[in-house]
Structures are given as structure tokens and as C-alpha cells.
Amino acid sequence: MTAELVRGQNHPLSQARLEIRVSADKPIVAGAALSDEHGKVHGAEWVAHPGTPTLPGLEVSRQAAADHRLAVDLGAMPEAVHRISVLLALPTGVAGPVRFGGLAAPFVAVTGLDGSEVASYTITGLEAESAVVALELYRRQGAWKVRAVGQGYAGGLAELLADQGMPEAHTLAGSINEAVVQGLARSVPAPPRTTDGDRTRQTAAPAPGPDQGGTAAQGAVQPPTSPYGAQGAGRPTSPYGAQQGSTDPSAATQPSTPTAGGPVDYSHPSRQTTAPPPPPPTAPPAQPGQPQQPVAGDATGWSMDERLYNQVWGMFEDLARSMAAYRSAVDFAESRMEKELDQVLSDPRSRIGGQGDAAREAARAKHAQLVDQAQAVLDRDLAHLAAEADVVEPALPPAYARWDNPVWHGYRVPMEIPMALRLGDLHLPEAPQVSIPMLVRLPLERGLWIDSGRAGTIDGSYTDSHEVKRLAMDTAVAVAARLLAVYPAREFTVHVIDPAGSGGQALVPLVQSGVLAAPPAVGAAGVTDVLARLTQRVDLVQMAVRGGAPDALPPGFDTAEQLLIVNDFPHGFDDRAVTQLRYLADEGPAVGVHLMMVADREEASGYGPLLDPLWRSLMRLTPVPDNHLADPWVGHAWTYEPSLVPAGSQVLQQVLQRVAEARTKYT
């Protein structure tokens, strides 16, 4: 299963011979630089580019193109090479974009020779940059790994190569650009886009009816980085964020075509591939005539947590596709009946009398037959998914589990950061009995916005605005507690801004357990102090990273990930504080500073369009069930339900107490 990397994340490489595939919506230049153990490129002979496309163990494209395939043989790499940096740049001296901010986010995937993806990365957050280090393959203790880098350079290839320690970087950049201009006529144009911007989507088709010729293939879609995470502009939005705009294009796979008259197989083809070691658990053999029983962890992955994560992904995709097929089949039945009825009414001879009545009755019977057929297929799929959910839910680790899962009673502070975090549950209106965990990848790539302004829900069960505000703060505390619980001791720090003190009751578990960095900041002075410290932190880390000196941070600098909870925005915020908040939302996630706002957008309407970028940059969640999350594949509106602590349960306090004890132990 593909490891969907975020910036800074690495993944082991088990194969020596690989392909690196690059996709963009305009022709770009792709190359690679070899460097030693200190990250230095010793000369032009260490750089593969269109003018010199071949080096030992490495071959790159000879021209600018919208799609590239770079061949890498790690076994043939010289001993002096410890790092391979994949470089992307926009061609200069020709008509076309001059910065990556004007393009959709480039997508890079590391694959085996058979095309199976090992790791993928969507390079988000680029603006004025015209060159970028996308990935690096590096040697560590005799083993190779891949790391998502995403470091951009506004000065283009020359600045990028100079930063790699390359002597005469400007000369080499000029020769690369000259080679690109000469071969630009042979560039491969970008593939046509679908209407929703997802390169990999294939439209789902309705299940075939008796009169449809017997075979209808339903398009199978690989997931965007997660349906569980909107992580940057340019990637297909995750199901819970049409507002999120996150993409992770993977290669689309084609399902097998069913035989005429046979059942349609809606299972995701990528869930039927062979798993890497260790092998996933297998279900016991099914009895003759009985369906195979679902098993927790029955997906590919390198660990049980990864297999469960991929299995949850597969369940989401199966439900989305099954529902799309059902809705398409019902739409087809409706349009077919309307067409047949129109034909009856258009013929004066059959408009009245027994012949017309018989034709209308036949059309309605055919419609009912097609709908019943589609409903039977949907019921079969929902029964399988419900059975799978019943098996998977109890097996989930704490990071993926609901608060009422018994796994929390045996909770221990982890030693490593998990792949993902559960933010709630998703379901569709036709299938409320099948609930899919909403998982987002860690570390968070976007801030969170808990919307406290909705006075009602899809079923109208909540109408009191004060109750919604209380639930919004409870949701924020539950998410913060979960983040504290899944990170190793002292690797996650929480700050709270509560200008008016209105969230005091909800914050009691965090305050009493002592897991906060400091008591909640109140008043305008408290807001100013916290924002100034976190803004300064972002500036320091950015300067250290860009200067290539991450070890030069001040003594005693807290290297833990930071979360700022802001309650009751915009009360207590002046114009400077609002600007700092926007800065943290935009720049913070890349350097480990995350924002969680509990706010009503209407209350901040006085700022006008100034805050629109802020709301768009955050992933919107609701404290009550709401169908605001959009599916970019097939257009479903998913109902999101937050993961709250059951009433009367002490599990949250017990978990936070163990987190506090672990922090004291490792002080």
C-alpha cells in the first residue's frame, strides 16, 4: 500500500530498482542531484539533468514534460553517494508559468518496476518558487529511505543548486535551461483534466440492468492522501473537505469486468494486492456457500496500525463507490421510465385506451425492477461493510479508536507518533448503520476550525446557540486530549487562549491534569503574549531550517509540536492579533505550530473578507452531526459526527493523568 508522505516524513525502501514518477499540469524540468554524506554536490558530474540524463544508477528525462519517469538503481550507486535529491523546476526563457504557485500541486511517487507505488507526496504550499527539491532518497546505516522534502526556491535552479553546495551553480543552471529550450518541442502535454480537477478519477457507472448489454465497469479510484485529511491546495479534496482542497493523485486502477448476468464486484482492486511483510492476518476459510468473513487488518501495510489505516480507507472507498453505483442505477431507472412514458404520450394511438395503460404499467414495473435490483446489490454491500466495521472497530489502536473503546482502559503513553488520528465518524444518509472513522494523517498539515456558530443540525435536534458553543469547546478539548495522548511524552504542547474565560468549564480536564504549557491566557494582554511567543517560534524555526542550521536554535528551545486552542474568537483580538493568527495558520504547520479555533464565523463578519483566507486554510469541523463534508470523487455529501467522550465517562481524565505522569517521569 502506498505510504502517503507529508513534508519531512520518511519511509523505508525495500527495493533497489525504482521509478520516480512526476506529474504536473504544465511541462516542468525534472532532474536529480547526488550528494555525499554531508549533503554536498561536488560538481556538475554529480547532477543528472536533460543535458546529461544518465549517471551510474540514475537516468532522468531528456526534456521538459508534464509527466516524468526517473529510473533509479540504488544497488548501482557509488559508495560516495549517500543522498539522491529529486529536483523540479519551471523552464525559463519560454512561454509558460514562472512560479509553482500558478500550477496545481506537483505529485511525486516512488514505484517499483511493476508500477506498484511505494510512497507518494503532493508538494503543496508553493507560491513564488520556480524550483523545488521534491524528494530525497538517502542512505542510513546501510539501508535506503525516501523523505518528502518540498523545499522551494524563488531564485530557480541556480539558487537550488547553490544551496546543495554545488560549485558554479549558475553556470550549470544555464546549461540545463539551454538543453531544456532545445528539447521543449518534444515536451509531453499535460493530460486532460476531469471536471472536478482529479487526474485519477474515473466515473462510476450504474449497475447494468437486463436491457443494458450486460457489462458495466465501475471506475475505481485510488484515495487522495486521505479522505481523511485536507492537506493543502492542489490535491483532490478529502471527503471532509471540499473546502479543504487537498490532493494526492495516485494511479487509477481498473476493476475486472463482471460477466454478463453476474454480480458486480465493488471491492477496491488495490485492497486485493499482496501485502508487504509482515503479512496481514487472513480470515479462516469460508464454509461452502458462505461469504468470506471480514478480518481486522486485512489490508496491505508494514505494521498493524498501517494495515488498519489502509483498511479503514478501503471501507470508505467501498462505501462511496457502492452508494455511487446505487444512485446511478436509480437515476438510470428514473430516466428510462420517463423516456418510455414520453414515448407513450407522444403517440396518439397509445395515449388513451388499454394499450396506453399497459405501456405505462410496463414502464413502472421495469422501473421498480431496476430499483429493486440496485437496492439488493447495495444491501449486500452494506451488510458486508457493517460486518467489517464490527470487526475493525474493536481492533483499532487508541489513535484511531472512539472514546468508548475498551482499548483506552489499557492506555500507555506511546513511544512513537502514529500514522493518523481519529477526528470523528462519517456516514451517508442511505446507510446510517455504516459509520467510517474519519482519520487524518499526522503531523497535521492544516489547522482545525470547530464551528460554534451553527444553531441547528441536519435533523434540527440542536437549536440553542449556547449549547452548541459548549459542545464546540468539548469537541476541541477531546481533540486536544487525543493529540496529547497519541504523541510521545513531552513531544506535544498545548496552549489555550480564552479571552473572556467562557470555556473554563470545558477546559477543566486539561487544566487540572497539568498538561497545558501554562494556564489559559485571558484578556487582551494574554492574547498578545501567547501570539507573540508562538509567532517568534515560527520565525526562529523557519530561519534555522532555511539557513540549514536546525541545531542552532536557542538553548532550552521546546522542540515539541505546538497546538494553540483559541476560544471565542474574535473577542479580545485587535488587528495585530488577527494578523498574527493568520500568520500562524499559514506558516505554522510546516514548522510544528498548529491552530485550533473555536469560533462563529458570523461573529467575525466585521472583519469582512480579511479573514476569508483564514477560514479557507482551516479544516472545518462541527460539534454536532452535519453534512458539510464533500466527496470529490462521486459528489457525496458525508455526514460528519464528532468523537466526543461519553457522558459520565472518566476516560479522558484518566488518559490525561497518565500523560501528565509520563511528562513528569521524562522531565
Side-chain angles (χ1 to χ4, degrees):
M1 193 72 177
T2 306
E4 299 150 2
L5 304 181
V6 297
R7 182 175 296 174
Q9 187 178 4
N10 60 41
H11 186 74
L13 297 174
S14 60
Q15 306 176 51
R17 302 182 66 187
L18 302 164
E19 277 191 352
I20 299 175
R21 302 185 179 186
V22 180
S23 297
D25 64 351
K26 296 290 183 182
I28 62 173
V29 182
L34 309 181
S35 52
D36 60 16
E37 57 189 352
H38 303 295
K40 182 177 181 180
V41 180
H42 287 273
E45 66 277 7
W46 285 52
V47 180
H49 56 84
T52 307
T54 304
L55 293 178
L58 179 64
E59 184 174 358
V60 304
S61 304
R62 299 173 183 268
Q63 60 191 32
D67 296 280
H68 294 268
R69 292 192 179 188
L70 286 64
V72 179
D73 186 350
L74 299 176
M77 283 292 156
E79 288 296 325
V81 175
H82 286 258
R83 185 179 302 171
I84 307 165
S85 300
V86 178
L87 318 177
L88 307 179
L90 295 173
T92 60
V94 297
V98 296
R99 61 187 186 93
F100 276 108
L103 307 177
F107 173 75
V108 187
V110 180
T111 74
L113 295 184
D114 60 353
S116 59
E117 288 192 6
V118 178
S120 64
Y121 174 44
T122 302
I123 312 171
T124 60
L126 299 178
E127 291 295 340
E129 296 88 344
S130 58
V132 61
V133 179
L135 297 174
E136 64 178 18
L137 282 59
Y138 63 98
R139 197 197 310 254
R140 180 69 53 84
Q141 298 178 346
W144 285 89
K145 295 184 178 182
V146 58
R147 177 187 289 121
V149 180
Q151 177 63 54
Y153 297 85
L157 268 177
E159 183 182 353
L160 184 155
L161 294 170
D163 192 47
Q164 297 276 322
M166 169 71 195
E168 301 181 355
H170 286 79
T171 302
L172 179 58
S175 64
I176 293 174
N177 289 327
E178 182 180 351
V180 169
V181 171
Q182 293 176 357
L184 196 58
R186 302 190 303 274
S187 296
V188 179
R193 287 185 171 275
T194 58
T195 56
D196 63 357
D198 183 358
R199 279 176 279 202
T200 64
R201 174 181 172 189
Q202 298 180 12
T203 305
D211 62 341
Q212 289 180 273
T215 60
Q218 181 179 353
V221 184
Q222 293 280 58
T225 118
S226 32
Y228 311 131
Q231 294 148 343
R235 147 172 139 189
T237 42
S238 65
Y240 359 100
Q243 84 267 13
Q244 298 172 5
S246 67
T247 53
D248 178 13
S250 303
T253 55
Q254 295 287 350
S256 58
T257 303
T259 56
V264 180
D265 181 7
Y266 295 114
S267 62
H268 195 289
S270 67
R271 299 179 70 193
Q272 303 168 5
T273 58
T274 303
T282 55
Q287 297 297 323
Q290 297 296 322
Q292 186 78 13
Q293 296 301 310
V295 173
D298 189 15
T300 59
W302 294 91
S303 66
M304 189 60 174
D305 283 4
E306 184 177 0
R307 292 199 294 270
L308 286 168
Y309 172 82
N310 291 332
Q311 186 171 14
V312 170
W313 256 100
M315 292 166 61
F316 174 87
E317 295 164 0
D318 287 349
L319 179 56
R321 258 189 321 277
S322 295
M323 195 59 65
Y326 169 75
R327 292 176 179 177
S328 296
V330 172
D331 289 344
F332 169 79
E334 294 282 354
S335 62
R336 184 182 184 278
M337 182 178 68
E338 291 176 2
K339 181 179 179 180
E340 292 181 351
L341 291 177
D342 287 343
Q343 290 176 345
V344 172
L345 295 175
S346 63
D347 187 352
R349 294 171 298 178
S350 60
R351 189 175 301 163
I352 57 176
Q355 185 179 357
D357 293 340
R360 282 188 285 271
E361 186 62 31
R364 295 188 182 98
K366 189 66 173 180
H367 170 269
Q369 179 186 358
L370 292 175
V371 172
D372 291 344
Q373 200 173 18
Q375 185 66 54
V377 174
L378 177 64
D379 291 343
R380 179 201 66 195
D381 293 345
L382 293 181
H384 177 80
L385 284 169
E388 188 172 12
D390 290 342
V391 172
V392 169
E393 189 67 47
L396 295 177
Y400 305 169
R402 288 196 298 252
W403 284 109
D404 59 357
N405 192 312
V407 71
W408 286 107
H409 297 294
Y411 166 77
R412 294 293 182 272
V413 177
M415 300 299 292
E416 295 183 350
I417 302 173
M419 287 185 61
L421 183 83
R422 186 174 190 155
L423 290 182
D425 295 273
L426 300 170
H427 63 82
L428 291 170
E430 295 94 337
Q433 73 276 23
V434 180
S435 183
I436 308 295
M438 175 180 168
L439 306 180
V440 296
R441 293 295 296 266
L442 292 179
L444 296 173
E445 285 198 343
R446 303 178 68 198
L448 303 176
W449 166 29
I450 314 298
D451 189 354
S452 62
R454 298 290 296 271
T457 65
I458 53 177
D459 59 0
S461 57
Y462 292 92
T463 56
D464 181 57
S465 61
H466 295 290
E467 177 70 6
V468 174
K469 289 180 182 294
R470 183 190 66 79
L471 288 172
M473 201 59 195
D474 288 344
T475 302
V477 170
V479 173
R482 187 182 288 268
L483 282 164
L484 285 163
V486 302
Y487 271 78
R490 307 197 71 82
E491 290 193 18
F492 198 86
T493 302
V494 178
H495 310 263
V496 177
I497 291 178
D498 188 19
S502 60
Q505 185 63 36
L507 291 169
V508 166
L510 296 177
V511 174
Q512 289 186 347
S513 61
V515 295
L516 295 179
V522 296
V527 171
T528 301
D529 178 63
V530 173
L531 290 179
R533 285 189 284 111
L534 290 178
T535 302
Q536 183 184 41
R537 174 192 175 86
V538 172
D539 291 339
L540 285 173
V541 177
Q542 283 186 338
M543 286 189 292
V545 172
R546 290 171 181 172
D551 297 332
L553 292 168
F557 187 85
D558 183 10
T559 58
E561 298 273 315
Q562 309 286 312
L563 174 69
L564 172 61
I565 302 176
V566 178
N567 184 37
D568 229 7
F569 177 82
H571 303 299
F573 284 76
D574 56 20
D575 291 345
R576 176 179 174 80
V578 170
T579 301
Q580 289 175 316
L581 202 64
R582 285 187 53 185
Y583 178 71
L584 292 178
D586 292 338
E587 303 294 335
V591 293
V593 178
H594 310 285
L595 182 63
M596 183 192 300
M597 293 186 59
V598 182
D600 178 359
R601 186 170 182 173
E602 292 299 322
E603 292 182 357
S605 59
Y607 286 95
L610 176 66
L611 290 181
D612 287 348
L614 175 63
W615 305 120
R616 288 196 298 266
S617 68
L618 303 175
M619 182 192 301
R620 177 174 172 259
L621 303 176
T622 55
V624 292
D626 191 88
N627 60 352
H628 67 282
L629 300 174
D631 182 344
W633 298 331
V634 285
H636 297 328
W638 291 81
T639 298
Y640 165 78
E641 187 169 352
S643 179
L644 295 175
V645 180
S649 173
Q650 296 296 311
V651 64
L652 187 141
Q653 289 84 346
Q654 294 169 3
V655 168
L656 290 177
Q657 187 61 40
R658 290 176 184 171
V659 171
E661 292 171 357
R663 291 186 166 205
T664 304
K665 178 180 178 181
Y666 290 102
T667 299

